Amino acid sequence: MAEHDQLNNNKKQHPSSHDSESDTVKLPARRSQSVTAALAPSTQTEEQAPDEPGLPPKGSKEPTEALSKIKVPETPVPTRPAKVKLQQKEQAASTKGHKNKARELLNAQALRERCRQLCTTTFFREHSTIRSLGFTSATAGEGKTLLALATATVLANDSGRPVTLLECTWERPRLQELFDLPRGQGLAEWLRGECSEEAIRYRVSPELTVIPAGDAAGQAMKLIHLLSERQLLSRLPSSQELFILDLPPLVTSGYGALAASLADSLILVVHAGVTSEVLVSEACAQLRDLPVQGILLNQIESHIPRWIRQLL
């Protein structure tokens, strides 16, 4: 009996994992984390989900901080395609171009009608002896050259008579450039005897002839005196020929008033809203003894409604 109790005490003091009666091995109920990690399989099984693209594979030894370096693309804001914007711009530009073209055609038509009225009252009145109409202004840049050219064109087309556009201003000659005429043969060269009269006459249409100013070489005042003495406008062979004169400005040119005396009738062109009253008064004073037919306001702003102007 004493031996049996001593044996039981030894079992309590020295427990063994091996039970002699059941012959089984008793393991601890929980395992440490290191042991569990050691027993985990080293390869991926079929039931495991595949690795996501752009992420390190499972079991990789890369630090987790690498995930924070991956940039997630931002969702793009939907915008209109560039082609659509380009088409809209082209359509807007085309619409604006059509409006500008329509406005220019309307202005050109109004200009032709005004020039037609001017020609009728000047050359086709009963018992009229006027053969030349001159366009002058107070200063340069008021539109007298354009009005002279438009009047000569309308007169040549409507009257059926030969018309000559004579450029008598050497300050800023324009006809040579507008009609692409050769240099070296103009009114100045003819007055100096350097070429014949036929050489300076350029026919630009069946009834319209242009005589450019040429190169005055600083002798504009002398050339005007020669033109007055030779009486070019009265001795030309065709008695039916009509003249439109592009004259120099009166205030800013020293020979403006002398050149204006060459024409049978005069039109003073004034840039509306730009030319001052002082300059207009001075120009009228220089034309006091000359046959002034009237003052023409150029580029005046019309207050007539557009729908009425379209009917005119």
Side-chain angles (χ1 to χ4, degrees):
M1 191 64 179
E3 296 177 358
H4 185 270
D5 294 336
Q6 186 178 2
L7 180 60
N8 290 335
N9 292 331
N10 293 335
K11 289 181 178 182
K12 292 179 180 180
Q13 295 178 358
H14 304 282
S16 175
S17 61
H18 183 271
D19 191 354
S20 59
E21 294 180 357
S22 59
D23 198 16
T24 59
V25 178
K26 295 182 181 180
L27 299 175
R30 298 181 63 182
R31 297 175 181 173
S32 62
Q33 186 175 359
S34 60
V35 176
T36 305
L39 296 176
S42 59
T43 57
Q44 183 179 5
T45 60
E46 295 181 356
E47 296 179 357
Q48 289 178 326
D51 296 334
E52 296 182 3
L55 297 178
K58 295 181 179 179
S60 175
K61 296 182 180 180
E62 295 182 1
T64 57
E65 288 79 2
L67 296 177
S68 61
K69 298 181 180 179
I70 300 176
K71 294 183 179 180
V72 180
E74 298 179 357
T75 304
V77 179
T79 57
R80 291 186 178 182
K83 185 176 182 181
V84 175
K85 291 184 178 180
L86 181 60
Q87 290 177 354
Q88 291 179 350
K89 289 183 180 180
E90 291 178 351
Q91 184 177 3
S94 177
T95 303
K96 185 178 180 180
H98 288 306
K99 290 182 180 180
N100 293 337
K101 186 176 181 180
R103 188 182 299 110
E104 291 176 359
L105 291 175
L106 184 62
N107 294 336
Q109 181 180 0
L111 177 62
R112 286 194 297 269
E113 292 302 323
R114 186 67 184 91
C115 293
R116 187 172 286 109
Q117 295 173 1
L118 184 60
C119 293
T120 301
T121 56
T122 303
F123 296 104
F124 303 111
R125 289 182 302 180
E126 188 177 2
H127 306 299
S128 176
T129 59
I130 296 177
R131 294 186 58 194
S132 59
L133 175 64
F135 287 83
T136 186
S137 60
T139 60
E142 300 196 53
K144 62 180 179 58
T145 299
L146 174 63
L147 291 172
L149 175 58
T151 303
T153 303
V154 170
L155 182 61
N157 294 336
D158 293 353
S159 66
R161 297 170 61 175
V163 177
T164 297
L165 176 59
L166 180 61
E167 187 175 36
C168 300
T169 174
W170 288 280
E171 302 294 333
R172 296 174 60 184
R174 296 287 305 280
L175 296 184
Q176 188 175 29
E177 178 182 355
L178 291 175
F179 291 98
D180 194 19
L181 303 179
R183 297 180 178 273
Q185 290 184 341
L187 181 61
E189 285 76 14
W190 175 73
L191 291 173
R192 290 196 296 263
E194 299 175 2
C195 61
S196 63
E197 179 184 321
E198 291 75 14
I200 65 174
R201 299 174 63 88
Y202 300 93
R203 179 166 294 184
V204 297
S205 71
E207 300 295 339
L208 180 60
T209 301
V210 174
I211 299 180
D215 186 8
Q219 300 176 342
M221 183 72 71
K222 179 180 179 181
L223 294 177
I224 291 297
H225 279 291
L226 290 176
L227 183 60
S228 178
E229 292 174 359
R230 295 188 183 184
Q231 298 181 351
L232 173 64
L233 306 184
S234 60
R235 70 179 183 83
L236 288 175
S238 177
S239 60
Q240 298 296 320
E241 188 172 10
L242 303 176
F243 290 90
I244 301 296
L245 277 62
D246 181 17
L247 300 172
L250 296 168
V251 178
T252 58
S253 174
Y255 59 97
L258 181 61
S261 63
L262 299 174
D264 297 333
S265 182
L266 292 169
I267 296 294
L268 177 61
V269 179
V270 176
H271 192 173
V274 176
T275 308
S276 65
E277 295 181 0
V278 176
L279 293 177
V280 175
S281 300
E282 186 175 351
C284 292
Q286 296 190 32
L287 298 175
R288 183 179 297 112
D289 299 329
L290 298 176
V292 179
Q293 184 174 336
I295 297 177
L296 197 154
L297 295 179
N298 188 27
Q299 299 184 9
I300 187 172
E301 183 178 358
S302 177
H303 296 283
I304 302 176
R306 181 180 299 178
W307 68 271
I308 294 180
R309 296 202 306 267
Q310 292 177 351
L311 298 177
L312 297 178

mmCIF file of all heavy atoms in Angstrom, residues 35-58:
data_model
loop_
_atom_site.group_PDB
_atom_site.id
_atom_site.type_symbol
_atom_site.label_atom_id
_atom_site.label_comp_id
_atom_site.label_asym_id
_atom_site.label_seq_id
_atom_site.Cartn_x
_atom_site.Cartn_y
_atom_site.Cartn_z
ATOM 1 N N VAL A 35 5.005 28.609 -33.930
ATOM 2 C CA VAL A 35 4.826 27.229 -34.364
ATOM 3 C C VAL A 35 3.819 27.137 -35.486
ATOM 4 O O VAL A 35 3.987 26.397 -36.446
ATOM 5 C CB VAL A 35 4.413 26.362 -33.157
ATOM 6 C CG1 VAL A 35 4.119 24.936 -33.582
ATOM 7 C CG2 VAL A 35 5.497 26.380 -32.093
ATOM 8 N N THR A 36 2.715 27.928 -35.389
ATOM 9 C CA THR A 36 1.692 27.920 -36.455
ATOM 10 C C THR A 36 2.276 28.400 -37.761
ATOM 11 O O THR A 36 1.989 27.862 -38.824
ATOM 12 C CB THR A 36 0.515 28.802 -36.035
ATOM 13 O OG1 THR A 36 0.029 28.375 -34.773
ATOM 14 C CG2 THR A 36 -0.604 28.724 -37.046
ATOM 15 N N ALA A 37 3.082 29.415 -37.701
ATOM 16 C CA ALA A 37 3.702 29.924 -38.929
ATOM 17 C C ALA A 37 4.644 28.916 -39.513
ATOM 18 O O ALA A 37 4.779 28.800 -40.727
ATOM 19 C CB ALA A 37 4.437 31.235 -38.644
ATOM 20 N N ALA A 38 5.303 28.142 -38.680
ATOM 21 C CA ALA A 38 6.234 27.140 -39.200
ATOM 22 C C ALA A 38 5.513 26.000 -39.847
ATOM 23 O O ALA A 38 6.024 25.371 -40.770
ATOM 24 C CB ALA A 38 7.134 26.635 -38.069
ATOM 25 N N LEU A 39 4.319 25.679 -39.345
ATOM 26 C CA LEU A 39 3.552 24.576 -39.923
ATOM 27 C C LEU A 39 2.749 24.973 -41.138
ATOM 28 O O LEU A 39 2.140 24.129 -41.771
ATOM 29 C CB LEU A 39 2.599 24.010 -38.858
ATOM 30 C CG LEU A 39 3.280 23.367 -37.633
ATOM 31 C CD1 LEU A 39 2.229 22.945 -36.636
ATOM 32 C CD2 LEU A 39 4.125 22.203 -38.064
ATOM 33 N N ALA A 40 2.663 26.313 -41.509
ATOM 34 C CA ALA A 40 1.870 26.755 -42.668
ATOM 35 C C ALA A 40 2.513 26.262 -43.946
ATOM 36 O O ALA A 40 3.731 26.173 -44.058
ATOM 37 C CB ALA A 40 1.796 28.284 -42.684
ATOM 38 N N PRO A 41 1.723 25.888 -44.941
ATOM 39 C CA PRO A 41 2.276 25.380 -46.200
ATOM 40 C C PRO A 41 3.039 26.462 -46.923
ATOM 41 O O PRO A 41 2.676 27.633 -46.885
ATOM 42 C CB PRO A 41 1.057 24.923 -46.977
ATOM 43 C CG PRO A 41 -0.085 25.710 -46.418
ATOM 44 C CD PRO A 41 0.241 25.916 -44.957
ATOM 45 N N SER A 42 4.095 26.102 -47.583
ATOM 46 C CA SER A 42 4.950 27.052 -48.297
ATOM 47 C C SER A 42 4.485 27.307 -49.710
ATOM 48 O O SER A 42 4.955 28.218 -50.347
ATOM 49 C CB SER A 42 6.396 26.535 -48.318
ATOM 50 O OG SER A 42 6.433 25.269 -48.967
ATOM 51 N N THR A 43 3.601 26.528 -50.270
ATOM 52 C CA THR A 43 3.110 26.695 -51.650
ATOM 53 C C THR A 43 1.644 26.991 -51.620
ATOM 54 O O THR A 43 0.922 26.641 -50.681
ATOM 55 C CB THR A 43 3.366 25.415 -52.468
ATOM 56 O OG1 THR A 43 2.730 24.316 -51.800
ATOM 57 C CG2 THR A 43 4.855 25.127 -52.553
ATOM 58 N N GLN A 44 1.141 27.622 -52.688
ATOM 59 C CA GLN A 44 -0.254 28.027 -52.799
ATOM 60 C C GLN A 44 -1.081 26.850 -53.265
ATOM 61 O O GLN A 44 -0.713 26.128 -54.179
ATOM 62 C CB GLN A 44 -0.396 29.205 -53.775
ATOM 63 C CG GLN A 44 -1.819 29.721 -53.883
ATOM 64 C CD GLN A 44 -1.883 30.890 -54.840
ATOM 65 O OE1 GLN A 44 -0.880 31.191 -55.446
ATOM 66 N NE2 GLN A 44 -3.050 31.478 -54.927
ATOM 67 N N THR A 45 -2.221 26.642 -52.615
ATOM 68 C CA THR A 45 -3.127 25.561 -53.003
ATOM 69 C C THR A 45 -4.093 26.051 -54.055
ATOM 70 O O THR A 45 -4.186 27.238 -54.362
ATOM 71 C CB THR A 45 -3.886 25.068 -51.778
ATOM 72 O OG1 THR A 45 -4.644 26.159 -51.240
ATOM 73 C CG2 THR A 45 -2.913 24.563 -50.704
ATOM 74 N N GLU A 46 -4.881 25.126 -54.587
ATOM 75 C CA GLU A 46 -5.817 25.469 -55.652
ATOM 76 C C GLU A 46 -6.945 26.333 -55.124
ATOM 77 O O GLU A 46 -7.561 27.076 -55.879
ATOM 78 C CB GLU A 46 -6.379 24.194 -56.273
ATOM 79 C CG GLU A 46 -5.314 23.347 -56.984
ATOM 80 C CD GLU A 46 -5.933 22.109 -57.592
ATOM 81 O OE1 GLU A 46 -7.132 21.914 -57.382
ATOM 82 O OE2 GLU A 46 -5.196 21.388 -58.270
ATOM 83 N N GLU A 47 -7.292 26.225 -53.818
ATOM 84 C CA GLU A 47 -8.408 26.977 -53.299
ATOM 85 C C GLU A 47 -8.053 28.427 -53.025
ATOM 86 O O GLU A 47 -8.917 29.241 -52.797
ATOM 87 C CB GLU A 47 -8.889 26.318 -51.999
ATOM 88 C CG GLU A 47 -9.431 24.900 -52.223
ATOM 89 C CD GLU A 47 -9.876 24.278 -50.921
ATOM 90 O OE1 GLU A 47 -9.684 24.950 -49.871
ATOM 91 O OE2 GLU A 47 -10.399 23.180 -50.947
ATOM 92 N N GLN A 48 -6.751 28.781 -52.999
ATOM 93 C CA GLN A 48 -6.357 30.151 -52.718
ATOM 94 C C GLN A 48 -6.629 31.037 -53.935
ATOM 95 O O GLN A 48 -6.478 30.611 -55.077
ATOM 96 C CB GLN A 48 -4.868 30.221 -52.370
ATOM 97 C CG GLN A 48 -4.555 29.612 -51.008
ATOM 98 C CD GLN A 48 -3.079 29.662 -50.731
ATOM 99 O OE1 GLN A 48 -2.307 29.535 -51.665
ATOM 100 N NE2 GLN A 48 -2.715 29.818 -49.468
ATOM 101 N N ALA A 49 -7.036 32.288 -53.675
ATOM 102 C CA ALA A 49 -7.345 33.226 -54.766
ATOM 103 C C ALA A 49 -6.062 33.679 -55.429
ATOM 104 O O ALA A 49 -5.031 33.813 -54.776
ATOM 105 C CB ALA A 49 -8.085 34.446 -54.200
ATOM 106 N N PRO A 50 -6.104 33.907 -56.706
ATOM 107 C CA PRO A 50 -4.890 34.358 -57.422
ATOM 108 C C PRO A 50 -4.486 35.743 -56.966
ATOM 109 O O PRO A 50 -5.289 36.530 -56.482
ATOM 110 C CB PRO A 50 -5.321 34.366 -58.891
ATOM 111 C CG PRO A 50 -6.806 34.512 -58.847
ATOM 112 C CD PRO A 50 -7.263 33.794 -57.617
ATOM 113 N N ASP A 51 -3.179 35.996 -57.165
ATOM 114 C CA ASP A 51 -2.668 37.305 -56.776
ATOM 115 C C ASP A 51 -3.264 38.387 -57.654
ATOM 116 O O ASP A 51 -3.444 38.218 -58.857
ATOM 117 C CB ASP A 51 -1.134 37.333 -56.911
ATOM 118 C CG ASP A 51 -0.513 36.325 -55.938
ATOM 119 O OD1 ASP A 51 -1.160 36.035 -54.919
ATOM 120 O OD2 ASP A 51 0.597 35.845 -56.236
ATOM 121 N N GLU A 52 -3.566 39.567 -57.079
ATOM 122 C CA GLU A 52 -4.076 40.698 -57.834
ATOM 123 C C GLU A 52 -2.932 41.363 -58.582
ATOM 124 O O GLU A 52 -1.832 41.462 -58.071
ATOM 125 C CB GLU A 52 -4.723 41.705 -56.886
ATOM 126 C CG GLU A 52 -5.942 41.123 -56.181
ATOM 127 C CD GLU A 52 -6.586 42.165 -55.288
ATOM 128 O OE1 GLU A 52 -6.086 43.305 -55.296
ATOM 129 O OE2 GLU A 52 -7.564 41.841 -54.607
ATOM 130 N N PRO A 53 -3.237 41.861 -59.778
ATOM 131 C CA PRO A 53 -2.166 42.529 -60.536
ATOM 132 C C PRO A 53 -1.742 43.806 -59.859
ATOM 133 O O PRO A 53 -2.560 44.560 -59.339
ATOM 134 C CB PRO A 53 -2.816 42.832 -61.889
ATOM 135 C CG PRO A 53 -4.285 42.832 -61.600
ATOM 136 C CD PRO A 53 -4.506 41.845 -60.517
ATOM 137 N N GLY A 54 -0.473 44.084 -59.922
ATOM 138 C CA GLY A 54 0.081 45.295 -59.341
ATOM 139 C C GLY A 54 0.409 45.175 -57.877
ATOM 140 O O GLY A 54 0.988 46.083 -57.290
ATOM 141 N N LEU A 55 0.019 44.041 -57.227
ATOM 142 C CA LEU A 55 0.305 43.841 -55.808
ATOM 143 C C LEU A 55 1.329 42.732 -55.661
ATOM 144 O O LEU A 55 1.384 41.814 -56.481
ATOM 145 C CB LEU A 55 -0.970 43.483 -55.055
ATOM 146 C CG LEU A 55 -2.077 44.557 -55.056
ATOM 147 C CD1 LEU A 55 -3.297 44.053 -54.330
ATOM 148 C CD2 LEU A 55 -1.561 45.832 -54.392
ATOM 149 N N PRO A 56 2.140 42.765 -54.612
ATOM 150 C CA PRO A 56 3.132 41.694 -54.420
ATOM 151 C C PRO A 56 2.437 40.385 -54.107
ATOM 152 O O PRO A 56 1.370 40.340 -53.486
ATOM 153 C CB PRO A 56 3.968 42.201 -53.248
ATOM 154 C CG PRO A 56 3.078 43.153 -52.529
ATOM 155 C CD PRO A 56 2.215 43.789 -53.570
ATOM 156 N N PRO A 57 2.960 39.255 -54.544
ATOM 157 C CA PRO A 57 2.331 37.951 -54.305
ATOM 158 C C PRO A 57 2.305 37.626 -52.818
ATOM 159 O O PRO A 57 3.088 38.117 -52.026
ATOM 160 C CB PRO A 57 3.228 36.984 -55.078
ATOM 161 C CG PRO A 57 4.542 37.676 -55.169
ATOM 162 C CD PRO A 57 4.224 39.151 -55.275
ATOM 163 N N LYS A 58 1.322 36.795 -52.471
ATOM 164 C CA LYS A 58 1.193 36.391 -51.076
ATOM 165 C C LYS A 58 2.435 35.623 -50.649
ATOM 166 O O LYS A 58 2.954 34.790 -51.364
ATOM 167 C CB LYS A 58 -0.055 35.538 -50.881
ATOM 168 C CG LYS A 58 -1.350 36.314 -51.155
ATOM 169 C CD LYS A 58 -2.556 35.437 -50.923
ATOM 170 C CE LYS A 58 -3.837 36.210 -51.160
ATOM 171 N NZ LYS A 58 -5.034 35.380 -50.956
#
